[in-house]
Amino acid sequence: MRRVEHVMGFPVSLRVDDEQVPGAAVDGVFSWLREVDERFSPFKPDSEVSRLDRGEIGLGEVSADLAEVLGLCEEYRIATGGAFDVRLPGRGLDPCAVVKGWSVQRAAELLKAAGVRRFCLNAGGDVVAAGGPWRVGVRHPEQADKLCTVLEITDGAVATSALYERGAHILDGRTGRPATGLLSVTVVANSLTEADSTATAAFAMGAEGIAWASSRPGCEVFAVDAERRVVRTEGLPVAVAVTA
């Protein structure tokens, strides 16, 4: 079974290879992601995030889900010395860098709770998969038709932060300027919450973000710096080439 929908501003594709596919669970995945978009988008004036940013509700009044997301945002802000910051001066509250991975990981957990064993959920190029092996390509940061490497994931997640989709959209919270020093950074972790947030935070840190991300427990890293040098951690699950 395969299904694709456009949610939260990017395509979300789900492939389930189980013989019996629970349709209600699949529907639940996309329903949950649409709910997240309505509740947490900083671009929707009636969202919970927008209402909090305008002061219409206080921190003590937010939902448990938003409190969890904001707690994660603060953890990464502290861990990066302020490079990762969802409250930049002159900008509204924007927790999207955490919301995406967190919400898609929650969607994957909905599938697992429904008994789905083998699936691949791809949200705008970030992937959470189960029951593999699954092969996940890492796009070349400067040549859209080429891959830097191919990873093999059994149960886990892969996320990449780079310039190629949205340009210099990731800011270094320490300076307020676009992050420099990296062309792309890919993180493999047990959950997409960790993989996506760590990749974004590392990119915001610049070149020093590679070592920081590599030191995170359970994280493996593939990065291309501004000098086109490739760095990868020893445990990166690179797929073995298939020979005829």
Side-chain angles (χ1 to χ4, degrees), residues 3 23 38 44 47 63 67 79 83-85 89 94 97 114 118 145 169 179 191 214 224 242:
R3 180 165 161 181
E38 291 297 321
K44 296 181 183 293
S47 74
S63 66
F84 179 94
D85 198 338
D94 184 357
R118 179 173 167 80
D145 60 341
H169 66 288
S191 78
S214 301
V224 182
V242 178

Side-chain angles (χ1 to χ4, degrees), residues 178-233:
T180 59
L182 295 174
L183 295 182
S184 72
V185 58
T186 298
V187 175
V188 180
N190 289 331
S191 78
L192 194 57
T193 306
E194 177 73 15
D196 196 22
S197 299
T198 299
T200 304
F203 197 96
M205 295 178 75
E208 64 182 298
I210 299 175
W212 175 82
S214 301
S215 71
R216 303 277 296 177
C219 289
E220 301 294 342
V221 177
F222 180 94
V224 182
D225 69 15
E227 304 300 320
R228 279 75 179 174
R229 292 173 297 206
V230 173
V231 180
R232 69 181 189 185
T233 53

Side-chain angles (χ1 to χ4, degrees), residues 120-243:
C120 183
L121 181 56
N122 185 324
D126 295 335
V127 172
V128 56
W134 295 93
R135 292 198 165 201
V136 179
V138 176
R139 177 176 159 177
H140 192 289
E142 296 180 302
Q143 300 179 55
D145 60 341
K146 293 185 178 180
L147 299 177
C148 283
T149 190
V150 178
L151 305 175
E152 188 169 282
I153 305 298
T154 299
D155 292 284
V158 181
T160 298
S161 285
L163 298 176
Y164 49 71
E165 288 293 346
R166 296 169 56 193
H169 66 288
I170 299 175
L171 303 183
D172 182 340
R174 299 167 297 189
T175 65
R177 301 189 186 96
T180 59
L182 295 174
L183 295 182
S184 72
V185 58
T186 298
V187 175
V188 180
N190 289 331
S191 78
L192 194 57
T193 306
E194 177 73 15
D196 196 22
S197 299
T198 299
T200 304
F203 197 96
M205 295 178 75
E208 64 182 298
I210 299 175
W212 175 82
S214 301
S215 71
R216 303 277 296 177
C219 289
E220 301 294 342
V221 177
F222 180 94
V224 182
D225 69 15
E227 304 300 320
R228 279 75 179 174
R229 292 173 297 206
V230 173
V231 180
R232 69 181 189 185
T233 53
E234 185 175 352
L236 191 75
V238 177
V240 177
V242 178
T243 57

Side-chain angles (χ1 to χ4, degrees), residues 41-132:
S41 172
F43 309 108
K44 296 181 183 293
D46 294 330
S47 74
E48 189 176 4
V49 166
S50 295
R51 292 171 59 218
L52 174 63
D53 192 41
R54 291 194 300 266
E56 295 173 6
I57 56 174
L59 281 173
E61 301 172 277
V62 301
S63 66
D65 285 339
L66 182 53
E68 180 180 348
V69 166
L70 293 176
L72 289 167
C73 292
E74 182 63 6
E75 286 181 24
Y76 282 96
R77 186 191 68 80
I78 293 171
T80 61
F84 179 94
D85 198 338
V86 299
R87 294 180 180 273
L88 293 170
R91 293 191 171 211
L93 172 64
D94 184 357
C96 290
V98 168
V99 168
K100 180 184 178 184
W102 171 84
S103 63
V104 175
Q105 181 62 42
R106 180 78 69 86
E109 290 165 5
L110 292 174
L111 291 171
K112 292 179 181 179
V116 179
R117 294 180 298 174
R118 179 173 167 80
F119 66 85
C120 183
L121 181 56
N122 185 324
D126 295 335
V127 172
V128 56

